[in-house]
Amino acid sequence: MRLSQAFVPTTKEAPKDAALPSHIYLVRGGFINQVASGIYNFLPFGKRVLDKIRAIIKEELDNAGAQEVQLGFVTPCELWEESGRFKKYGKELLRFKDRKENCFVLGPTHEEMMVALVRGRVNSYKQLPLNLYQINLKFRDEARPRFGLLRGREFLMKDGYSFHATYEDMEREYRLMEETYKRIFTRLGLEFRAVEADVGAIGGSASKEFMVLAQSGEDTIVLCSECEYAANVEAAKRKMPQPPTEAPEFSNFEPFYTPNLKSIEELSDFFKVHPYFFVKAVAKKAVFDENEEIVLFFLRGNDELQEVKAKNAIGADELVDVTDEELEKAGIVPGFIAPYEQECRIVLDDALKGAKGVICGGNKKDYHLIGADLSHFDEALFADIAAVKEGDLCPECGAILKLSKGIEVGHIFQLGTRYSEAMNATFLDKEGKAKPFVMGTYGIGVSRLVAAAIEQNHDEFGCIWPKEIAPYHVTIIVSNTKDEVQVAFANKLYEDLKEAGIEVVLDDRSERFGFKMKDFELIGYPYGVIVGKNLSEGKVQLVKRKSRQKIDIAKEDILKAVIEAVNQK
Ligand code: ATP
Ligand code: MG
């Protein structure tokens, strides 16, 4: 491609709302442009990157025996009514009617459509297993679309669904998909981790997320410093923490006057007792299908509530904040909440099991209770609701856990019969009995990967594409397009590289050299060749984008040098 003819509108201007490098560089580099909030066009270079990612995903999935299909993006509401998700999905599901008043949604995910496709067409265990996938648009009317391609409303997803006769077979496919995903992300040249993920309130079934490691990631992941253990903080476990110091000794269980002392920090200073020996209360309003209720969560003073774990512990759809007025109305004293004598539901963190000699709220303004003993509380009130924090110990091997940030680029899930049962999708087993399909589901954020790659690979000058997904491997920069010798040499090199199968662009634009170098860095081709003044001394320069290192190379060796650089592993 000759850049003089290419549609790659680079610009100095960053989008106003852009804070993240991928958002800034992808727009400035002319890869994408915004159409509306969370909706983007892909320009030629962006499309090339997207297609490369797509091709790698397709190749690996086809190799693993999955089959590609393409389902409608506009899906009938009836299917969503059947699965029970029409109501549940909330505002992210964009619903609309056609001219005949038929109700439709823009597919945010395709479990319903895929079950409807297989239902009635696959009737026997002999036709199983089956793994169908598509790489197709999704629409989610996200509350806060942001960060460019990382959280769009319209985005490209690979979504796969497998159908099995037994749970064992579904688990086998799940492991195969895990291996396949690892191969895909490795080929994409990304540093990633497969982490245990939240499976929701139902629990039991397994789920893993694939996280590209990047400081800007919205997800917090917990990694063991010694073993393979890795989990999303929403699902992370830990070894029960040990007391950091000797427990304080209280001779009595009694109220203690603590005027205006509410925070654990203030209380810890006041009593000279480590936060571990305090009982912290977090009040939330839990939202269920039909009702709402206040729930009080209790934790060790040095722990924080993990809201997803807390939500799952009580089977709620959502936890929302509750105001002091609402608490007071329910007879609760904000800031001084005890786990005793509460009318509403309480949940205590597992780390409080058997706690004695601790300090908790006094259910009375300005009072705490000292010498509290929680060892008599019913087992059923306890659950794992604390957020794992840096320095906690690995549940598998006991080594120190560390926190890191990640971008979720893939998700695999053992679904079971949730959809097949609800939608009455069955097959006949060996005995001729009708059984619901056992399903797995597997997603990859294809357009999100374009941005995730840049979040992980950039510097202050622009993108640094991993070679496998770079829009082109190399650009030849003609320093002075009026110099015929330079132009002729660059043209010849361009043709020779194309011939050798190298993806090459020729920057033959009549712009200043500095301008073209800036574009080279912004777009982030892995390599550049500068054809400049030194050509008269028989030399050109090879630039590595990542290190920005320039190496002089004899003009007759440059073809070989570029081919070697691009092809090296
Ligand atoms: P998130 O927690 O980031 O909102 P999710 O768990 O809701 O994502 P899934 O339903 O698991 O997403 O979808 C499969 C994949 O699709 C995700 O792993 C992610 O890579 C991608 N994805 C989800 N939502 C978006 C979005 N709004 N924009 C771009 N990609 C997305
Ligand atoms: Mg997910």
Side-chain angles (χ1 to χ4, degrees):
M1 172 57 67
R2 289 172 187 272
L3 276 188
S4 59
Q5 279 143 44
F7 181 45
V8 189
T10 54
T11 140
K12 281 191 182 137
E13 250 91 317
K16 269 198 223 80
D17 58 337
L20 295 192
S22 67
H23 190 183
I24 296 170
Y25 295 145
L26 288 174
V27 172
R28 284 196 45 216
F31 294 93
I32 58 169
N33 87 291
Q34 190 180 15
V35 181
S37 169
I39 304 179
Y40 288 85
N41 289 328
F42 280 80
L43 282 51
F45 275 26
K47 181 75 166 77
R48 280 183 73 91
V49 175
L50 191 68
D51 282 352
K52 286 188 172 185
I53 295 175
R54 215 181 151 120
I56 289 172
I57 294 172
K58 177 170 170 57
E59 202 179 299
E60 292 296 337
L61 284 170
D62 288 353
N63 259 338
Q67 300 171 65
E68 189 174 5
V69 293
Q70 185 171 310
L71 305 185
F73 175 42
V74 175
T75 74
C77 291
E78 290 81 52
L79 293 177
W80 289 76
E81 302 271 11
E82 266 190 66
S83 71
R85 277 209 290 189
F86 191 67
K87 266 214 201 106
K88 273 237 149 169
Y89 214 96
K91 289 194 169 168
E92 273 184 29
L93 187 64
L94 188 69
R95 305 145 211 251
F96 60 95
K97 288 194 172 148
D98 68 7
R99 64 167 83 199
K100 292 184 181 144
E101 292 292 305
N102 296 315
C103 169
F104 289 94
V105 307
L106 289 186
T109 168
H110 275 71
E111 280 81 3
E112 283 82 356
M113 285 282 274
M114 205 60 98
V115 171
L117 173 67
V118 168
R119 178 171 63 181
R121 290 186 182 85
V122 175
N123 299 309
S124 159
Y125 73 94
K126 288 181 196 150
Q127 294 162 280
L128 296 173
L130 194 60
N131 186 336
L132 301 176
Y133 75 96
Q134 61 170 343
I135 299 175
N136 208 347
L137 280 184
K138 294 280 176 280
F139 192 92
R140 295 183 182 178
D141 204 353
E142 298 267 354
R144 291 205 298 144
R146 58 193 184 281
F147 311 142
L149 297 181
L150 286 176
R151 188 166 297 284
R153 293 198 296 160
E154 185 184 271
F155 57 96
L156 195 65
M157 195 202 283
K158 171 262 153 179
D159 49 326
Y161 308 83
S162 68
F163 297 82
H164 308 269
T166 63
Y167 274 86
E168 294 74 58
D169 195 51
M170 180 264 283
E171 284 160 19
R172 176 204 48 76
E173 187 73 11
Y174 176 85
R175 285 192 297 273
L176 174 64
M177 283 300 113
E178 178 173 351
E179 289 315 310
T180 307
Y181 274 35
K182 284 183 180 164
R183 266 204 300 280
I184 291 171
F185 298 123
T186 304
R187 273 188 65 185
L188 293 175
L190 300 172
E191 202 192 335
F192 69 94
R193 295 282 185 284
V195 308
E196 306 281 341
D198 166 42
V199 287
I202 316 152
S205 47
S207 171
K208 277 194 180 172
E209 287 163 342
F210 293 79
M211 297 283 180
V212 164
L213 302 182
Q215 279 164 2
S216 59
E218 286 188 279
D219 284 283
T220 302
I221 55 180
V222 174
L223 303 172
C224 179
S225 53
E226 294 286 337
C227 78
E228 292 289 291
Y229 182 75
N232 190 312
V233 74
E234 296 174 349
K237 299 190 178 72
R238 61 179 180 179
K239 222 172 136 178
M240 261 320 113
Q242 293 303 305
T245 60
E246 292 262 308
E249 287 194 13
F250 299 106
S251 39
N252 288 315
F253 174 45
E254 59 190 1
F256 201 96
Y257 184 53
T258 50
N260 283 324
L261 298 177
K262 284 190 186 171
S263 76
I264 297 289
E265 210 184 357
E266 291 164 341
L267 287 161
S268 167
D269 277 353
F270 177 80
F271 282 104
K272 306 270 175 291
V273 168
H274 191 280
Y276 175 85
F277 299 104
F278 287 82
V279 181
K280 173 198 275 180
V282 182
K284 290 279 169 188
K285 198 155 49 182
V287 183
F288 298 91
D289 246 1
E290 307 283 328
N291 64 312
E292 292 184 348
E293 66 181 66
I294 292 174
V295 181
L296 300 175
F297 297 96
F298 295 92
L299 304 136
R300 292 264 177 196
N302 58 342
D303 280 329
E304 300 292 335
L305 185 72
Q306 211 309 312
E307 289 208 11
V308 175
K309 284 161 78 173
K311 182 185 83 165
N312 291 341
I314 56 170
D317 288 340
E318 205 186 346
L319 294 182
V320 294
D321 288 342
V322 54
T323 63
D324 284 0
E325 292 75 58
E326 286 173 296
L327 289 177
E328 281 157 10
K329 231 170 110 187
I332 297 162
V333 188
F336 301 92
I337 305 174
Y340 300 100
E341 292 164 22
Q342 297 294 355
E343 301 259 301
C344 65
R345 181 159 182 188
I346 69 166
V347 181
L348 297 113
D349 182 54
D350 281 342
L352 283 170
K353 267 189 197 160
K356 289 182 184 169
V358 289
I359 304 173
C360 64
N363 281 345
K364 187 173 163 194
K365 188 169 182 321
D366 290 339
Y367 280 90
H368 279 82
L369 293 167
I370 59 169
D373 177 355
L374 307 186
S375 63
H376 310 300
F377 277 67
D378 188 348
E379 278 274 316
L381 293 173
F382 290 87
D384 175 15
I385 54 168
V388 171
K389 55 185 184 305
E390 188 101 29
D392 278 343
L393 303 183
C394 174
E396 304 272 339
C397 76
I400 301 254
L401 292 172
K402 295 197 177 325
L403 298 188
S404 184
K405 288 287 181 188
I407 301 170
E408 183 192 324
V409 292
H411 194 170
I412 57 174
F413 201 98
Q414 298 186 7
L415 205 50
T417 55
R418 154 82 182 81
Y419 292 90
S420 48
E421 256 178 63
M423 297 180 67
N424 199 21
T426 59
F427 67 96
L428 295 179
D429 72 3
K430 271 191 187 135
E431 279 78 47
K433 254 177 63 190
K435 284 210 174 131
F437 295 108
V438 181
M439 292 176 61
T441 159
Y442 321 95
I444 297 181
V446 185
S447 51
R448 180 180 280 184
L449 271 165
V450 176
I454 295 308
E455 285 307 318
Q456 196 174 74
N457 301 285
H458 66 268
D459 59 15
E460 69 262 49
F461 307 102
C463 306
I464 306 174
W465 290 104
K467 207 157 54 191
E468 282 272 6
I469 59 174
Y472 285 87
H473 296 137
V474 56
T475 177
I476 303 168
I477 302 163
V478 187
S479 173
N480 177 4
T481 46
K482 293 201 183 94
D483 181 328
E484 280 169 24
V485 184
Q486 284 184 20
V487 171
F489 181 85
N491 266 322
K492 172 82 168 66
L493 180 62
Y494 172 65
E495 294 301 336
D496 289 348
L497 282 170
K498 274 210 299 190
E499 185 90 341
I502 302 293
E503 296 177 28
V504 54
V505 298
L506 178 64
D507 197 345
D508 55 349
R509 295 174 298 174
S510 53
E511 300 281 357
R512 282 181 304 105
F513 173 68
F515 177 92
K516 293 199 266 195
M517 274 308 281
K518 282 216 168 78
D519 263 10
F520 160 68
E521 290 175 332
L522 174 61
I523 289 172
Y525 313 85
Y527 300 99
V529 176
I530 302 172
V531 180
K533 277 198 215 104
N534 284 356
L535 187 65
S536 53
E537 288 146 35
K539 282 187 199 148
V540 293
Q541 284 182 310
L542 180 64
V543 197
K544 288 188 186 156
R545 170 62 186 89
K546 191 165 182 183
S547 60
R548 299 173 69 238
Q549 187 193 7
K550 293 179 184 150
I551 312 162
D552 282 338
I553 298 204
K555 66 177 186 183
E556 42 305 336
D557 295 336
I558 187 67
L559 177 66
K560 195 163 149 256
V562 172
I563 295 171
E564 262 176 25
V566 171
N567 290 334
Q568 93 195 353
K569 281 277 167 235

